[in-house]
Amino acid sequence: MNPLFYENTTVIDCVENESFKAEILELKALRGAKDINLAGEIFLAKEGGITLKQVKITLKDSSFTTESGALYFMKGHIEAKNKMGGATGLMKKAFKNYLTQESTFKPTYTGSGEIFLEPSFGHYMFVELHDETIVVDKGLFLGCEPTLDISVAMQKNLSSGFLGGEGWFQTKISGTGLCILQIPVPREEVLVTQLQNEKLQVDGNFALLRRGDIRFSVQKSTKGLIGTFTSGEGLLQTFEGTGEVWLAPTQPIYRRLEESSFSQLLESKNQSNDTGNKK
């Protein structure tokens, strides 16, 4: 590999054991602008703290499973396989992944070498499981060790399915091994809350995952109907039990900023069109 590539790259997170190493790489700078407009966009991205990131997996005579289409390139003695499981298994897998917004075919890469997943301006997070189960928001799964089982978690009551904001189905990951998630905010902005036979109530849809003996439901913010309306809170996502709930408290703020910027852009464009029509 070109040493200049690694000089321009920082490893912001790493998990390693005897069979593989997983790294999140962050490109320090994009230097390929060929015109003033692209240079301006790169400058604004840098000033805004937007950096290009990429997941690298180093296999040591081992295996790793990813979402379909996640591979960018690989080198070494590595073979990719998709387990079909027959017609019945294929239909079940397709239905399961339709529910969780994930691809039906998840390739497993086996051998020794390096795997680079597709780069993105988004964010990634490693989660290590130790003979346990986590439930994650649908669409977050990116890859895992093949020792982990990916299945569907269905909401257990009507309120959670209809009003919880998560839909009826989420992704359940079980076993022992490393899981990689694509998350909507930087990992430094993820808040891990510990519950000890307690209740956590969230006004919004920004819970990323839960682990342990945690029950999920949707409850009114107050016991009475009048109190619910006067409190201004309405319905709250409710987590009860003992375990962890991982939150992304800044996610709603980013959504509001995106909507605001888009609205302002449309308004500005409409004003320009009106001015042009009047001439």
Side-chain angles (χ1 to χ4, degrees), residues 92-102 134-141 150-173 205 207-210 216 237:
K92 288 181 179 179
K93 186 179 293 185
F95 182 66
K96 176 193 73 174
N97 288 284
Y98 169 77
L99 298 177
T100 57
Q101 296 182 358
E102 294 162 3
I134 62 173
V135 177
V136 307
D137 200 6
K138 55 189 176 184
L140 297 187
F141 174 82
I150 313 298
S151 59
V152 174
M154 182 176 178
Q155 308 296 6
K156 295 184 178 180
N157 52 63
L158 291 176
S159 65
S160 302
F162 281 116
L163 306 173
E166 306 288 352
W168 279 100
F169 305 95
Q170 291 178 286
T171 302
K172 182 167 68 173
I173 306 171
N205 180 26
L208 301 180
L209 70 83
R210 59 186 183 271
F216 173 66
Q237 288 192 353

Side-chain angles (χ1 to χ4, degrees), residues 42-260:
I42 292 175
F43 174 79
L44 290 175
K46 182 178 179 181
E47 290 299 303
I50 301 174
T51 58
L52 192 67
K53 305 175 191 68
Q54 187 171 33
V55 174
K56 175 186 176 184
I57 307 294
T58 303
L59 297 179
K60 308 171 186 178
D61 194 20
S62 56
S63 300
F64 207 86
T65 300
T66 71
E67 270 287 272
S68 178
L71 176 69
Y72 205 48
F73 63 92
M74 63 182 179
K75 80 175 198 63
H77 302 283
I78 300 174
E79 183 179 4
K81 290 184 178 180
N82 270 312
K83 292 184 178 180
M84 301 290 287
T88 302
L90 178 61
M91 291 299 294
K92 288 181 179 179
K93 186 179 293 185
F95 182 66
K96 176 193 73 174
N97 288 284
Y98 169 77
L99 298 177
T100 57
Q101 296 182 358
E102 294 162 3
S103 59
T104 301
F105 302 104
K106 292 181 171 59
T108 296
Y109 301 94
T110 301
S112 297
E114 297 175 337
I115 299 170
F116 288 78
L117 303 187
E118 190 168 352
S120 168
F121 286 107
H123 310 283
Y124 304 99
M125 181 173 64
F126 295 147
V127 182
E128 294 189 72
L129 282 72
H130 303 280
D131 192 22
E132 58 183 324
T133 295
I134 62 173
V135 177
V136 307
D137 200 6
K138 55 189 176 184
L140 297 187
F141 174 82
L142 179 64
C144 69
E145 291 185 79
T147 52
L148 294 175
D149 179 65
I150 313 298
S151 59
V152 174
M154 182 176 178
Q155 308 296 6
K156 295 184 178 180
N157 52 63
L158 291 176
S159 65
S160 302
F162 281 116
L163 306 173
E166 306 288 352
W168 279 100
F169 305 95
Q170 291 178 286
T171 302
K172 182 167 68 173
I173 306 171
S174 305
T176 297
L178 177 73
C179 175
I180 306 176
L181 303 179
Q182 292 179 300
I183 56 177
V185 302
R187 58 196 180 94
E188 296 86 356
E189 297 177 13
V190 175
L191 175 63
V192 180
T193 57
Q194 304 281 345
L195 299 182
Q196 296 293 333
N197 195 25
E198 297 173 285
K199 177 189 290 188
L200 169 69
Q201 293 191 293
V202 178
D203 183 17
N205 180 26
F206 52 89
L208 301 180
L209 70 83
R210 59 186 183 271
R211 72 198 307 171
D213 186 16
I214 301 290
R215 301 176 301 280
F216 173 66
S217 63
V218 175
Q219 299 180 9
K220 292 185 293 184
S221 60
T222 57
K223 293 183 178 179
L225 183 61
I226 295 178
T228 298
F229 284 112
T230 57
S231 69
E233 300 299 335
L235 299 172
L236 302 175
Q237 288 192 353
T238 302
F239 303 88
E240 299 177 88
T242 297
E244 295 178 351
V245 180
W246 295 28
L247 303 174
T250 57
Q251 184 180 6
I253 307 301
Y254 290 124
R255 288 174 180 161
R256 291 173 201 161
L257 290 173
E258 289 173 352
E259 292 171 359
S260 174

